[in-house]
Amino acid sequence: MTGNGNALRLLAYAFAAVDHGSLRRAAKALRVRESSVSRNVLKLEQLLDMQLFERDFRGVRLTEAGGAWIDVARAHYDGLLDAFIQCARDNKDAKTLRIGLCWVTGGEFLRRLIDRFGGRYPDVILSIEDIPASQCMAAIRRRRLDIAFTHDLGPVTSCCSDVFWQERLFVLLSSRHSLVGKPAVAWSDLAQMSLLVPAGPEGPRPDLRLLERIVADGGPAIQTSWADQATVILKVQLGQGVTFAEESYARTVTIDSAMWKPLEGHNSVSSIRAVWLDSNPKLSVLRLIGLAKNMAKRTSDQNGERCMRSQERCTAG
């Protein structure tokens, strides 16, 4: 459009003048000043290089050329408005933020993030679903999902990606295990055990790249099986191996005849990153990312302050 302004707005003012036969009455209907209607009608006439209205003390009326042009323009205008209305009606996804979870059990950070976002933007519908790792990137690129939270998938191309938070890992041991008396364990303590990893359709999915690092650093041997989380937990209770989960899962799930122990040392945390398209037109995506970054920064600052206070206490002691 040229410097003469927005075409739809100019047309809206012109049609109001036609319908009401007066710039003053048109301004009242549009809830604007009469001078605004007059100025925009004049802009439209200048843009078309055509006099649409004859003006006198009684109001305005269309010229012969103006009447012919308005009839054609209104048909297109009404059709365009119908298209906008139909698009808004049909595109229910416009106000829906689709969030995918790939191997992520949730976590306190994600819960607080979604809770705060929902409180700030109640008009946005949040749709949360699981997404297999093999489909995660394709779902983002094709905009079936607006944003996905996942573990380390390796190099990410054609998408934006950022690590927003980390969760400590906990290992589940049989209550008869020799390490249950320790306050925390390292992967090297479990080198002679089997690390049971569910490969079934249910339950939290592990970070495969993390598993590779655990094995490379002398940790337990990985044993995958087509079983859900319940079956894996049963095997742990029977002393047939150990399994692990993020802290948010371990803190909320109590297992009979088994105990969760925090991991320490190398590979004892799981990094959770977000993946999204920079070209996604939804403002809600940018708002969620901005809120997540602010929360992550505050969490990092608070953790830093706690570490400093702990060091000061140790020095003073």
Side-chain angles (χ1 to χ4, degrees), residues 27 80 83 85 97 105 118 165 169 180 203-204 231 250:
L80 185 58
I85 294 171
L97 181 61
T105 57
W165 82 96
L169 296 175
V180 293
T231 302

Side-chain angles (χ1 to χ4, degrees), residues 29-55:
L30 295 172
R31 297 183 179 180
V32 298
R33 294 181 179 179
E34 182 178 346
S35 60
S36 180
V37 177
S38 177
R39 182 171 60 254
N40 281 281
V41 168
L42 179 59
K43 283 183 179 181
L44 181 60
E45 290 178 324
Q46 292 172 340
L47 177 64
L48 299 173
D49 195 19
M50 175 195 302
Q51 183 178 352
L52 296 175
F53 296 96
E54 293 180 353
R55 300 162 174 81

Side-chain angles (χ1 to χ4, degrees), residues 271-293:
S271 297
I272 311 299
R273 64 173 57 243
V275 182
W276 70 95
L277 274 183
D278 189 44
S279 59
N280 191 312
K282 292 184 181 179
L283 182 59
S284 56
V285 176
L286 297 179
R287 286 172 170 169
L288 181 68
I289 294 167
L291 182 58
K293 288 182 177 180

